[in-house]
Short mmCIF file of all heavy atoms in Angstrom, two decimals:
data_model
loop_
_atom_site.label_atom_id
_atom_site.label_comp_id
_atom_site.label_asym_id
_atom_site.label_seq_id
_atom_site.Cartn_x
_atom_site.Cartn_y
_atom_site.Cartn_z
N VAL B 33 -100.61 25.25 -251.10
CA VAL B 33 -99.43 25.82 -250.44
C VAL B 33 -99.16 27.19 -251.04
O VAL B 33 -99.32 27.39 -252.24
CB VAL B 33 -98.19 24.91 -250.69
CG1 VAL B 33 -96.93 25.56 -250.13
CG2 VAL B 33 -98.40 23.54 -250.06
N GLN B 34 -98.77 28.11 -250.16
CA GLN B 34 -98.41 29.45 -250.62
C GLN B 34 -96.90 29.58 -250.48
O GLN B 34 -96.33 29.16 -249.48
CB GLN B 34 -99.15 30.42 -249.70
CG GLN B 34 -98.63 31.81 -249.66
CD GLN B 34 -99.16 32.48 -248.39
OE1 GLN B 34 -100.13 32.05 -247.78
NE2 GLN B 34 -98.48 33.51 -247.98
N ALA B 47 -90.44 35.48 -267.43
CA ALA B 47 -90.10 35.24 -266.04
C ALA B 47 -91.26 34.53 -265.34
O ALA B 47 -91.07 33.57 -264.58
CB ALA B 47 -89.80 36.56 -265.33
N GLU B 53 -93.10 27.07 -264.27
CA GLU B 53 -92.43 25.85 -264.70
C GLU B 53 -91.60 25.26 -263.55
O GLU B 53 -91.61 24.07 -263.27
CB GLU B 53 -91.53 26.19 -265.90
CG GLU B 53 -90.87 25.02 -266.58
CD GLU B 53 -91.89 23.98 -267.07
OE1 GLU B 53 -92.98 24.37 -267.51
OE2 GLU B 53 -91.57 22.78 -266.97
N HIS B 62 -100.95 22.58 -260.69
CA HIS B 62 -101.65 23.85 -260.95
C HIS B 62 -100.99 25.06 -260.31
O HIS B 62 -101.65 25.81 -259.60
CB HIS B 62 -103.12 23.76 -260.51
CG HIS B 62 -103.82 22.55 -261.05
ND1 HIS B 62 -104.24 21.51 -260.25
CD2 HIS B 62 -104.15 22.21 -262.31
CE1 HIS B 62 -104.80 20.56 -261.00
NE2 HIS B 62 -104.76 20.98 -262.26
N THR B 76 -86.57 39.23 -260.38
CA THR B 76 -88.03 39.27 -260.28
C THR B 76 -88.52 38.42 -259.10
O THR B 76 -88.03 37.31 -258.90
CB THR B 76 -88.68 38.76 -261.59
OG1 THR B 76 -88.11 39.49 -262.68
CG2 THR B 76 -90.18 38.94 -261.58
N GLN B 86 -97.82 15.57 -252.73
CA GLN B 86 -97.24 14.56 -251.84
C GLN B 86 -98.06 14.44 -250.57
O GLN B 86 -98.80 15.36 -250.20
CB GLN B 86 -95.81 14.97 -251.46
CG GLN B 86 -94.89 15.19 -252.64
CD GLN B 86 -94.60 13.90 -253.38
OE1 GLN B 86 -94.40 12.85 -252.77
NE2 GLN B 86 -94.61 13.98 -254.70
N ALA B 91 -99.26 9.19 -238.90
CA ALA B 91 -99.62 8.12 -237.97
C ALA B 91 -98.36 7.50 -237.36
O ALA B 91 -98.25 7.32 -236.14
CB ALA B 91 -100.45 7.08 -238.67
N HIS B 115 -82.89 14.67 -207.07
CA HIS B 115 -82.07 13.73 -207.84
C HIS B 115 -80.60 14.11 -207.95
O HIS B 115 -79.78 13.28 -208.26
CB HIS B 115 -82.64 13.59 -209.26
CG HIS B 115 -84.00 12.97 -209.28
ND1 HIS B 115 -84.20 11.61 -209.29
CD2 HIS B 115 -85.23 13.53 -209.25
CE1 HIS B 115 -85.50 11.35 -209.28
NE2 HIS B 115 -86.15 12.51 -209.27
N ILE B 120 -76.02 22.66 -210.14
CA ILE B 120 -75.64 22.15 -211.46
C ILE B 120 -74.92 23.28 -212.18
O ILE B 120 -75.46 24.38 -212.33
CB ILE B 120 -76.90 21.72 -212.24
CG1 ILE B 120 -77.65 20.64 -211.45
CG2 ILE B 120 -76.54 21.25 -213.64
CD1 ILE B 120 -79.07 20.40 -211.96
N THR B 127 -70.85 31.59 -229.50
CA THR B 127 -69.45 31.29 -229.83
C THR B 127 -69.06 31.71 -231.23
O THR B 127 -69.91 32.06 -232.05
CB THR B 127 -69.20 29.77 -229.68
OG1 THR B 127 -70.15 29.10 -230.48
CG2 THR B 127 -69.31 29.34 -228.25
N GLY B 128 -67.76 31.61 -231.48
CA GLY B 128 -67.21 31.96 -232.78
C GLY B 128 -67.28 33.46 -232.97
O GLY B 128 -67.11 34.24 -232.03
N ASP B 137 -78.43 35.17 -223.41
CA ASP B 137 -78.91 36.00 -222.30
C ASP B 137 -80.32 35.59 -221.89
O ASP B 137 -80.65 35.53 -220.71
CB ASP B 137 -78.90 37.49 -222.69
CG ASP B 137 -77.50 38.06 -222.78
OD1 ASP B 137 -76.55 37.37 -222.34
OD2 ASP B 137 -77.34 39.18 -223.30
N HIS B 160 -72.59 30.41 -215.67
CA HIS B 160 -71.50 31.28 -216.14
C HIS B 160 -71.83 31.68 -217.58
O HIS B 160 -71.73 30.85 -218.48
CB HIS B 160 -70.16 30.54 -216.11
CG HIS B 160 -69.78 30.05 -214.74
ND1 HIS B 160 -68.99 30.76 -213.89
CD2 HIS B 160 -70.14 28.91 -214.08
CE1 HIS B 160 -68.85 30.08 -212.74
NE2 HIS B 160 -69.53 28.95 -212.84
N LEU B 184 -74.01 25.34 -222.82
CA LEU B 184 -75.08 25.88 -223.67
C LEU B 184 -74.44 26.79 -224.72
O LEU B 184 -73.73 27.73 -224.36
CB LEU B 184 -75.98 26.78 -222.81
CG LEU B 184 -77.39 26.32 -222.48
CD1 LEU B 184 -77.30 25.11 -221.58
CD2 LEU B 184 -78.14 27.43 -221.78
N VAL B 189 -76.15 33.84 -236.06
CA VAL B 189 -75.78 34.06 -237.46
C VAL B 189 -75.67 32.71 -238.16
O VAL B 189 -74.92 31.84 -237.72
CB VAL B 189 -74.46 34.83 -237.58
CG1 VAL B 189 -74.02 34.93 -239.03
CG2 VAL B 189 -74.61 36.22 -237.00
N THR B 190 -76.45 32.54 -239.21
CA THR B 190 -76.51 31.23 -239.85
C THR B 190 -76.21 31.31 -241.34
O THR B 190 -76.44 30.36 -242.07
CB THR B 190 -77.91 30.62 -239.67
OG1 THR B 190 -78.87 31.53 -240.22
CG2 THR B 190 -78.21 30.40 -238.21
N LEU B 194 -72.85 28.92 -241.34
CA LEU B 194 -71.74 29.15 -240.43
C LEU B 194 -71.96 28.43 -239.10
O LEU B 194 -71.03 27.90 -238.50
CB LEU B 194 -71.59 30.67 -240.18
CG LEU B 194 -70.53 31.07 -239.16
CD1 LEU B 194 -69.15 30.79 -239.71
CD2 LEU B 194 -70.66 32.54 -238.81
N VAL B 203 -67.89 20.51 -230.63
CA VAL B 203 -67.96 19.09 -230.28
C VAL B 203 -66.58 18.46 -230.43
O VAL B 203 -66.12 17.70 -229.56
CB VAL B 203 -68.98 18.35 -231.18
CG1 VAL B 203 -68.93 16.86 -230.91
CG2 VAL B 203 -70.38 18.88 -230.93
N GLU B 207 -64.45 16.67 -227.48
CA GLU B 207 -64.01 15.28 -227.63
C GLU B 207 -62.49 15.17 -227.52
O GLU B 207 -61.97 14.27 -226.87
CB GLU B 207 -64.51 14.71 -228.96
CG GLU B 207 -65.96 14.30 -228.84
CD GLU B 207 -66.59 13.89 -230.15
OE1 GLU B 207 -65.90 13.98 -231.20
OE2 GLU B 207 -67.77 13.50 -230.14
N MET B 215 -69.96 15.91 -219.94
CA MET B 215 -70.71 17.17 -220.09
C MET B 215 -71.93 16.97 -220.98
O MET B 215 -71.85 16.30 -222.00
CB MET B 215 -69.83 18.23 -220.76
CG MET B 215 -68.77 18.80 -219.85
SD MET B 215 -67.79 19.97 -220.79
CE MET B 215 -66.44 20.22 -219.64
N LYS B 230 -78.57 16.83 -232.74
CA LYS B 230 -78.19 15.43 -232.51
C LYS B 230 -77.26 14.94 -233.62
O LYS B 230 -76.31 14.21 -233.37
CB LYS B 230 -79.44 14.57 -232.42
CG LYS B 230 -80.21 14.89 -231.13
CD LYS B 230 -81.12 13.78 -230.72
CE LYS B 230 -81.45 13.92 -229.24
NZ LYS B 230 -82.78 13.44 -228.90
N LEU B 232 -75.14 16.67 -235.13
CA LEU B 232 -73.81 17.24 -234.93
C LEU B 232 -73.12 16.70 -233.69
O LEU B 232 -71.99 17.06 -233.41
CB LEU B 232 -73.91 18.77 -234.83
CG LEU B 232 -74.46 19.50 -236.05
CD1 LEU B 232 -74.55 20.99 -235.79
CD2 LEU B 232 -73.60 19.23 -237.28
N PHE B 238 -82.25 23.50 -229.32
CA PHE B 238 -83.47 24.25 -229.02
C PHE B 238 -83.68 25.35 -230.05
O PHE B 238 -82.75 26.10 -230.36
CB PHE B 238 -83.39 24.85 -227.62
CG PHE B 238 -83.28 23.80 -226.54
CD1 PHE B 238 -82.03 23.36 -226.12
CD2 PHE B 238 -84.41 23.23 -226.00
CE1 PHE B 238 -81.93 22.38 -225.14
CE2 PHE B 238 -84.32 22.25 -225.02
CZ PHE B 238 -83.07 21.82 -224.59
#
Side-chain angles (χ1 to χ4, degrees):
Chain B
V33 174
Q34 161 199 340
E53 187 57 36
H62 309 112
T76 308
Q86 303 293 319
H115 295 275
I120 301 166
T127 55
D137 288 349
H160 301 266
L184 250 67
V189 175
T190 58
L194 176 69
V203 174
E207 280 173 357
M215 286 178 192
K230 291 202 160 148
L232 298 178
F238 298 91

